[in-house]
Amino acid sequence: MVGGGQLARMTHEAGIPLGIRFKLLADTPQDSAAQVVSDVVIGDHRDLDTLRAFAQGCDVITFDHEHVPTAHLRALEADGIPVRPGPDALVHAQDKGRMRARLAELGIPAPRNRIVRDPADVAAFAAEGAAGEETDGTAADGNTPAGSGSGAGFPVVLKTVRGGYDGKGVWIVRSADDPTAAEPFKAGVDVLAEEKVDFARELAANVVRSPHGQAVAYPVVESIQVDGVCDTVIAPAPGLDPDAAVHAQELALRIAHELGVVGHLAVELFETRDGRVLVNELAMRPHNSGHWTQDGAVTSQFANHLRAVLDLPLGDPRSRAPWTVMANVLGGDYPDMYSAYLHCMARDPQLKIHMYGKTVKPGRKVGHVNIAGDDLPDLRERAAHAAGYLRGTITE
Amino acid sequence: MVGGGQLARMTHEAGIPLGIRFKLLADTPQDSAAQVVSDVVIGDHRDLDTLRAFAQGCDVITFDHEHVPTAHLRALEADGIPVRPGPDALVHAQDKGRMRARLAELGIPAPRNRIVRDPADVAAFAAEGAAGEETDGTAADGNTPAGSGSGAGFPVVLKTVRGGYDGKGVWIVRSADDPTAAEPFKAGVDVLAEEKVDFARELAANVVRSPHGQAVAYPVVESIQVDGVCDTVIAPAPGLDPDAAVHAQELALRIAHELGVVGHLAVELFETRDGRVLVNELAMRPHNSGHWTQDGAVTSQFANHLRAVLDLPLGDPRSRAPWTVMANVLGGDYPDMYSAYLHCMARDPQLKIHMYGKTVKPGRKVGHVNIAGDDLPDLRERAAHAAGYLRGTITE
């Protein structure tokens, strides 16, 4: 696995019972996954020679993140190393412009969007939305408008097509003279404009697909974001109409099939106030919206990602409990979380704590908690308490 | 953790989410745990200098096996390294004679037993049993007889007090002129004679205890042995009277307390045909009879062992499903289990496979499977099928 973050750490954990020999390419020996894996190579994933040397002896290469250049992935494939997901699929998780264009071709509902050239073009994009126009043939991607009632066309969401995550690389432009509109163009990469969807809530449909086309769909979850960062995930999404849940699962399975995804695919969705779903983002690796599966599903997303990339038969994705709640633990002002960690274990013996071995920095994801059971309000309170206590925002 | 076997492998797996930095002392880099742990020292656990060097930087030392000499453990403690379980407790899992003597002092029911000097003494021990005598004050340990109706006093079970496991170091003597009676005395260690209990079945009571005395008790399980090796574990033990289950849990908690155990304690029990329980063996580490907890309990034995030895609050030991069945996977005649592994995953997506990364040798424990659910006969069939298929004794 390329990338030493917490996703690799938890994938290694899931690979131990499968008997898998796990090799890691990490930036530093202090990386989250490098702390717990036996076979670690320290090197730069942007360097092709490093990747080639790392790939020696690997049956398959997979990823903790989307940052390996596409050309390098093609070079590894040309060397005969299976790369899963492959570059033709992964590019849709690396480049939001490519993703939008492809989903539009497939007729998959998404926020109105197009590539914009400069702040004036952002204002033009907003005006198109205000006029309620169908996106015309000259737009980069031709998505149908979501019709979410974005008023005078603002606010508009701008995203660099590459490099953003957790709210980074995203700007909200509130009017034609908002100076924020100039910011994204400074990065020198393409900028995607999207209508700001007035969604009811965010959902995620997680699926896993094998090279030979076997696929499983996890229950659709609700994802609650705070300041652009995932805060809480509830599995399954409360009150979601069963037909709508199946529709979202089918949408995710179709995307996985059409894009040729191998491994875990997270489809982040906006649920509109009239009950439709629009695709927000794609991730082709284990994803924060699937962390609940470690303690809430028969087979975790990490185990199924490994099973998929190794072309092993997939495991049962179903829930083991009526409800599972995941809450992210963000770093707070105090670097030593030990006493809080003791407190949370003592307060709630059913709490499942997952720490990433990372140095605490304010706002950094340093762990998460899962809790499964029957009583959703109770589970939400306990998960929120533990996450808040570990962060230091709750002191009791 | 000292010892590189599968117990250390699975303990490391359980420590990853806890954020624990795990250091391993293994015999070879090919050891089961050494394959998956980052921080591995290769060395001999019987060598004090090796142990001392290994212990540098450890907050606490714990064990995958019972083979570290007691004097070395005392030396580590004298160096200021916490050793958990400590040598005064662990000796009862290392030396069956010491264990029998201590349990007798505590009045805990056990098979009739005493240390024997030679084959003639074995015959004398059998005769004592045939006469139905109470063990007299001159016996090494003074256990009360189980009264299990062992006929003319034979068969007698002989065990070397140190070094046996999985049926090794155990002999059955069937009559006064059985030449087997001479075998155990060749090893040069004390030999313990025990009545061969005509038990109804074997149970195990697993508990975990912290340095500050917090303790949890797992559901009592049934353990089915084949040729002296654990074959299947059923959690909870089917048809066990609830009062008898609580009694067995209390017995295990009392032993943990009286012996000062820190960490996981497995108490292997014989259930007699009249419903009493007799203590067979003790193990002070994660134990085969607790492997079901990985997929069947809220907190696994491995996680709770770590929480105990680090004096962290313990996790909920309760079952997550009405039934969980564990079946050991033994090596068969074919070293390559890959196609069987594929078959088992494809046949049963709910099956949880745990492989140890060991070279396959006939009869060697190379993994286990767990399966949890509502329908016990169905779960037993599926676990037995998977274990048999992986071993090569079932081909469908």
Side-chain angles (χ1 to χ4, degrees):
Chain A
M1 187 172 250
V2 176
Q6 65 263 27
L7 300 177
R9 180 184 177 101
M10 295 186 278
T11 303
H12 173 55
E13 178 193 344
I16 292 174
L18 293 172
I20 290 168
R21 303 292 289 257
F22 191 90
K23 186 173 176 182
L24 183 75
L25 179 62
D27 290 338
T28 79
Q30 290 74 44
D31 282 10
S32 177
Q35 296 170 22
V36 299
V37 171
S38 172
D39 191 359
V40 181
V41 173
I42 303 301
D44 185 345
H45 57 265
R46 295 165 303 187
D47 179 68
L48 180 56
D49 289 340
T50 299
L51 287 167
R52 280 190 156 132
F54 171 73
Q56 290 300 315
C58 290
D59 293 316
V60 58
I61 301 281
T62 190
F63 310 94
D64 164 273
H65 57 61
E66 292 86 13
H67 307 322
V68 180
T70 304
H72 292 0
L73 301 179
R74 292 198 199 288
L76 292 175
E77 282 196 326
D79 291 347
I81 309 290
V83 174
R84 294 172 181 163
D88 292 337
L90 192 62
V91 69
H92 300 97
Q94 295 177 311
D95 185 315
K96 296 182 207 297
R98 294 283 296 273
M99 182 268 283
R100 287 294 180 215
R102 183 80 178 110
L103 294 190
E105 283 173 15
L106 296 171
I108 288 174
R112 193 176 66 86
N113 69 84
R114 69 170 170 86
I115 299 292
V116 287
R117 294 179 304 273
D118 53 34
D121 200 19
V122 175
F125 173 81
E128 289 155 21
E133 290 176 5
E134 296 295 317
T135 305
D136 66 31
T138 62
D141 31 39
N143 274 308
T144 52
S148 62
S150 53
F154 284 99
V156 165
V157 181
L158 298 183
K159 300 175 176 177
T160 50
V161 295
R162 284 184 177 255
Y165 66 96
D166 280 354
K168 296 178 181 66
V170 177
W171 294 262
I172 309 293
V173 181
R174 304 199 174 275
S175 67
D177 55 1
D178 184 341
T180 305
E183 293 299 320
F185 298 99
K186 295 175 181 171
V189 295
D190 280 354
V191 176
L192 183 72
E194 296 184 352
E195 66 170 324
K196 187 166 187 303
V197 177
D198 180 33
F199 55 80
R201 59 176 174 174
E202 293 188 64
L203 304 174
N206 288 300
V207 298
V208 186
R209 183 174 176 274
S210 291
H212 71 281
Q214 190 192 12
V216 294
Y218 284 98
V220 176
V221 299
E222 178 174 347
S223 172
I224 299 165
Q225 317 283 318
V226 174
D227 298 333
V229 178
C230 178
D231 181 85
T232 302
V233 170
I234 305 170
L240 184 64
D241 176 74
D243 289 343
V246 169
H247 171 71
Q249 289 178 315
E250 287 175 345
L251 194 69
L253 289 168
R254 183 167 165 236
I255 293 170
H257 172 73
E258 294 286 358
L259 271 49
V261 177
V262 172
H264 188 267
L265 170 70
V267 180
E268 295 185 80
L269 298 162
F270 295 127
E271 186 183 29
T272 63
R273 299 194 186 276
D274 57 356
R276 291 171 305 127
V277 290
L278 308 175
V279 172
N280 178 21
E281 302 273 3
L282 302 183
M284 293 179 196
R285 49 167 171 74
H287 188 257
N288 204 159
S289 63
H291 289 359
W292 71 275
T293 60
Q294 294 174 303
D295 301 297
V298 176
T299 313
S300 79
Q301 65 166 350
F302 300 101
N304 263 338
H305 181 75
L306 281 173
R307 287 164 77 149
V309 301
L310 292 162
D311 208 8
L312 298 168
L314 300 178
D316 189 339
R318 283 177 291 182
S319 296
R320 294 198 65 184
W323 299 105
T324 306
V325 177
M326 190 284 318
N328 275 330
V329 177
L330 302 185
D333 294 331
Y334 301 98
D336 185 357
M337 299 172 73
Y338 185 70
S339 65
Y341 175 81
L342 284 183
H343 168 88
C344 290
M345 286 190 184
R347 185 181 196 264
D348 195 341
Q350 295 181 358
L351 188 75
K352 308 303 288 184
I353 300 181
H354 297 262
M355 301 303 292
Y356 306 155
K358 290 169 141 183
T359 308
V360 172
K361 293 180 188 171
R364 186 185 205 189
K365 285 182 188 170
V366 295
H368 68 273
V369 296
N370 285 330
I371 186 153
D374 300 326
D375 180 345
L376 179 57
D378 176 63
L379 298 174
R380 287 194 67 174
E381 188 284 323
R382 288 155 69 189
H385 178 92
Y389 202 94
L390 287 163
R391 188 177 189 174
T393 53
I394 298 174
T395 53
E396 273 188 330
Chain B
M1 186 170 249
V2 176
Q6 65 263 29
L7 301 177
R9 179 185 178 100
M10 295 186 279
T11 303
H12 172 56
E13 178 192 343
I16 292 173
L18 293 170
I20 290 167
R21 301 292 289 256
F22 191 89
K23 187 173 175 181
L24 182 76
L25 179 62
D27 291 338
T28 78
Q30 290 74 43
D31 282 10
S32 177
Q35 295 170 22
V36 299
V37 171
S38 172
D39 191 359
V40 182
V41 174
I42 303 301
D44 186 346
H45 57 264
R46 295 163 303 186
D47 179 68
L48 181 56
D49 289 341
T50 300
L51 287 167
R52 280 190 157 133
F54 170 71
Q56 292 299 316
C58 289
D59 293 316
V60 57
I61 301 280
T62 190
F63 311 95
D64 163 273
H65 57 61
E66 292 86 13
H67 308 320
V68 179
T70 303
H72 291 0
L73 300 179
R74 293 199 197 287
L76 291 175
E77 282 196 327
D79 291 346
I81 308 290
V83 173
R84 294 173 180 162
D88 293 338
L90 192 63
V91 71
H92 299 97
Q94 296 178 311
D95 185 317
K96 297 182 206 298
R98 293 284 295 273
M99 182 269 283
R100 286 294 180 216
R102 183 79 179 110
L103 295 190
E105 284 172 16
L106 296 171
I108 288 174
R112 193 175 66 83
N113 68 85
R114 69 172 169 83
I115 299 292
V116 287
R117 294 179 302 273
D118 54 34
D121 200 20
V122 175
F125 173 81
E128 290 155 21
E133 289 174 6
E134 297 295 318
T135 305
D136 67 30
T138 61
D141 32 37
N143 275 309
T144 52
S148 64
S150 53
F154 284 99
V156 165
V157 181
L158 298 182
K159 300 174 176 176
T160 50
V161 297
R162 282 183 178 258
Y165 67 97
D166 279 355
K168 295 176 181 68
V170 177
W171 294 263
I172 310 292
V173 182
R174 304 200 174 274
S175 66
D177 54 2
D178 184 342
T180 305
E183 294 299 321
F185 298 97
K186 295 175 180 171
V189 295
D190 281 354
V191 175
L192 183 73
E194 295 184 352
E195 66 170 325
K196 188 167 188 302
V197 176
D198 180 33
F199 55 82
R201 60 175 172 174
E202 294 186 65
L203 304 174
N206 288 300
V207 298
V208 186
R209 183 176 175 274
S210 291
H212 72 280
Q214 189 193 12
V216 294
Y218 283 99
V220 176
V221 299
E222 177 173 346
S223 170
I224 299 165
Q225 318 284 318
V226 175
D227 299 333
V229 178
C230 178
D231 181 84
T232 303
V233 169
I234 304 170
L240 184 63
D241 176 76
D243 289 344
V246 169
H247 171 71
Q249 288 177 315
E250 287 174 344
L251 195 70
L253 289 168
R254 183 167 165 236
I255 293 170
H257 171 73
E258 294 285 359
L259 272 51
V261 176
V262 172
H264 188 266
L265 170 70
V267 180
E268 295 185 81
L269 298 163
F270 295 127
E271 185 182 30
T272 63
R273 297 192 188 277
D274 57 358
R276 291 171 305 127
V277 292
L278 309 174
V279 172
N280 179 22
E281 303 273 3
L282 303 183
M284 294 179 196
R285 49 168 170 75
H287 188 256
N288 205 158
S289 64
H291 288 359
W292 71 275
T293 61
Q294 294 174 302
D295 301 298
V298 176
T299 314
S300 79
Q301 64 165 350
F302 300 101
N304 263 337
H305 181 74
L306 280 173
R307 287 165 76 147
V309 302
L310 291 163
D311 208 9
L312 298 168
L314 300 178
D316 189 339
R318 282 177 292 182
S319 297
R320 293 198 65 185
W323 300 105
T324 307
V325 177
M326 189 285 314
N328 275 329
V329 177
L330 303 184
D333 294 330
Y334 301 98
D336 185 357
M337 298 170 73
Y338 184 70
S339 64
Y341 173 82
L342 284 183
H343 168 88
C344 290
M345 286 189 184
R347 186 181 194 265
D348 195 341
Q350 296 182 356
L351 188 75
K352 307 303 286 184
I353 299 181
H354 298 261
M355 299 305 291
Y356 305 155
K358 290 168 139 183
T359 307
V360 172
K361 293 179 187 170
R364 186 185 206 189
K365 285 181 189 171
V366 295
H368 67 272
V369 296
N370 285 330
I371 185 153
D374 299 327
D375 180 345
L376 180 57
D378 175 63
L379 297 174
R380 288 194 66 173
E381 187 281 326
R382 287 155 69 191
H385 178 92
Y389 202 93
L390 287 163
R391 188 176 190 174
T393 53
I394 297 173
T395 53
E396 276 187 323

